[in-house]
Amino acid sequence: MNKNSSNIMALAPNTSNKRETVCIFGTGDFGRALGHKMIQSGYPVVYGSRSTQISNLVPKDAEVLSHAEAAQKAAIIIIAIQRQHYNFLIPLAEILRGKVLVDISNNLKLNQYPESNAEYLAQLLPGSRVVKAFNTVSAWALQSGTLDASRQVFVCGDDMEAKQMVMNIVRALGLTPLDKGTLSAAQEIENYPLQLFPMWKFPIFLSLGLTVFFFFYCLALDVIYTYIYEKNNFSFFIAITIPNRVCPVMALILLALVYLPGIFAAIIQLYRGTKYRRFPDWLDKWMLCRKQLGLIALAFASLHVVFTLVTPMRAFVSWRTSKGIISQALNNKTEPLDKTNAWISDSYLALGILGFFLFVLLGITSLPSVSNNVNWREFRFVQSKLGYLALIFCTAHTLVYGGKWFLSPSAYKWYLPNIYMLSLVIPCAVLVVKFVLIFPCVDKPLTQIRQGWERNPKHSE
Ligand code: NAP
């Protein structure tokens, strides 16, 4: 049979009504949930258990036998038992010879044992064909049918045929198998359910740290300074004014931090003259969490939009507006429209709207359901070209809004720069270096390096 036809067979749904019996060792939570789902999908299920007394928790269409008897009835045996009890399988080695054993176990800690549970099982029963699968699906999700978040089932194993048989079952249960290769990938698959948002830790801690810093920076300059030197109590700024300063600043800095590692990577590649050497660990990690940094930046930008939209409802703003109107009425003089100011205000609003629109576009295209539907070039176009455009718009928005204070001595309270000036340091640095990097004399060698050219090739003739 040629390769294509075997692929088609593997992908085609099983049209025969009769499915092969599957054996499950262990009538615990997972064994029962999986058995239930398998019976619903048309598989006859036989349980291997220490007790053959049928409990009312076990699916009613399933048989419960001793381990040895149950194993003889099926070619595939799912081991729904914790690793520490695997020793009981050793006396069954002869019965299990040649059978497909599916290891679904998880551990309590990352890298708890020197080898993965599946590799340990394969060492205990060298005559069996061990496949790792199902460990990322929870018993609760199987039973309640809420599998949207965990529809993917990672599968790995050294025996291709055995792996294919397990993947067919995964498909028949309405799940999506993801072939992770040989059994050596089992450790990684077993660690997967133990990770708690691994890519989010650095972005969240960084954002929290910066937010706290900028919050207290604004508190010192806008509330404490004013209280000490102008005897004005603006403590209510804590609720909206300060958050509405911190949010745009955070959004801009985090967006720049999405593009900064790419700049570092380009400089390192240009300096080394090759792409075949690993980046330092910190840069690798930073590159891997760019999407998370971008999404947090988008959250800050959205908060800034909401805070800005509620501005006209604020008592302080209506008081300031009516004060202006009353003072004009008392002086019997209408202030002429300051056209320069009107231009500045319309410009920064327009730049902010465009920047936010692109920001949202970047966020949407980073969603797996959307990014899976665009090719690599389209994805790069949006994330890189439109991303830089968003950074330019947002930087310009801040420059036009905050620029008027840069030269004013009153903006330097306690000799400290205004928060808007601080927020522009990283974005401006990123944009300036990026501008240098797109010069043909720099861009050409960089493109060649990224295509595999080396300045000092190791293997030159
Ligand atoms: P469980 O409810 O404690 O069930 C384990 C079963 O193992 C018991 O019901 C028992 O079945 C059998 N067993 C216990 N001690 C034994 C021994 N000394 N010798 C032989 N068999 C023994 O655990 P579980 O939640 O179903 O988890 C089972 C496995 O699935 C674990 O490795 C776990 O990591 C994995 N898993 C669980 C989930 C989940 O959501 N629960 C998700 C993914 C993976 P009998 O009484 O019938 O013999």
Side-chain angles (χ1 to χ4, degrees), residues 113-285:
Y113 300 102
E115 74 291 274
S116 66
N117 300 346
E119 287 167 307
Y120 172 64
L121 183 64
Q123 281 165 24
L124 285 181
L125 302 163
S128 305
R129 301 140 85 195
V130 175
V131 175
K132 180 91 208 173
F134 289 114
N135 68 308
T136 50
V137 181
S138 78
W140 177 80
L142 274 175
Q143 223 154 16
S144 58
T146 46
L147 274 163
D148 286 349
S150 51
R151 213 164 262 283
Q152 278 184 345
V153 173
F154 298 119
V155 183
C156 74
D158 292 337
D159 186 312
M160 273 308 288
E161 194 196 6
K163 201 159 60 172
Q164 200 59 53
M165 286 162 78
V166 176
M167 296 214 287
N168 285 343
I169 296 184
V170 172
R171 281 190 205 100
L173 301 190
L175 306 171
T176 313
L178 209 91
D179 189 348
K180 294 289 275 182
T182 63
L183 211 57
S184 58
Q187 186 93 306
E188 190 189 322
I189 300 179
E190 283 169 16
N191 282 339
Y192 187 78
L194 295 171
Q195 290 171 349
L196 187 67
F197 304 121
M199 292 298 154
W200 284 91
K201 270 190 197 139
F202 169 68
I204 287 176
F205 284 129
L206 179 77
S207 320
L208 274 178
L210 285 176
T211 307
V212 170
F213 169 76
F214 284 122
F215 181 84
F216 284 106
Y217 195 84
C218 289
L219 189 73
L221 298 193
D222 298 332
V223 178
I224 301 174
Y225 182 94
T226 325
Y227 186 72
I228 295 174
Y229 293 100
E230 295 164 17
K231 300 284 173 249
N232 273 330
N233 182 355
F234 285 149
S235 54
F236 61 89
F237 273 12
I238 288 173
I240 289 190
T241 306
I242 293 181
N244 201 21
R245 279 187 193 158
V246 174
C247 286
V249 163
M250 285 301 299
L252 183 60
I253 292 179
L254 291 179
L255 183 63
L257 289 180
V258 170
Y259 293 98
L260 189 56
I263 299 273
F264 281 139
I267 294 171
I268 290 175
Q269 285 178 333
L270 277 171
Y271 174 74
R272 290 176 175 169
T274 177
K275 69 165 184 178
Y276 296 114
R277 275 173 60 197
R278 278 201 56 185
F279 291 128
D281 267 357
W282 58 266
L283 187 55
D284 257 347
K285 285 191 186 133

Side-chain angles (χ1 to χ4, degrees), residues 26-30 49-50 80-82 85 104-106 135 137 139:
T27 56
D29 293 338
F30 197 78
S49 174
R50 291 167 302 170
I81 292 168
Q82 281 87 354
H85 306 310
I104 54 135
S105 62
N106 282 321
N135 68 308
V137 181

Side-chain angles (χ1 to χ4, degrees), residues 4 6 62 82 133 143 177 250 252 291 309 311 357 365 398 414:
N4 281 348
S6 72
Q82 281 87 354
Q143 223 154 16
M250 285 301 299
L252 183 60
K291 174 176 158 180
L309 289 177
T311 301
F357 170 74
T365 46
T398 315
W414 282 322

Side-chain angles (χ1 to χ4, degrees), residues 382-411:
V382 174
Q383 294 296 326
S384 175
K385 303 276 189 306
L386 294 189
Y388 267 107
L389 197 59
L391 185 61
I392 291 172
F393 279 142
C394 294
T395 308
H397 167 69
T398 315
L399 260 173
V400 178
Y401 177 74
K404 58 183 179 237
W405 289 309
F406 290 1
L407 298 173
S408 152
S410 67

Side-chain angles (χ1 to χ4, degrees), residues 42-56:
Y43 285 96
V45 171
V46 53
Y47 282 98
S49 174
R50 291 167 302 170
S51 154
T52 50
Q53 273 186 344
I54 299 195
S55 121
N56 56 3

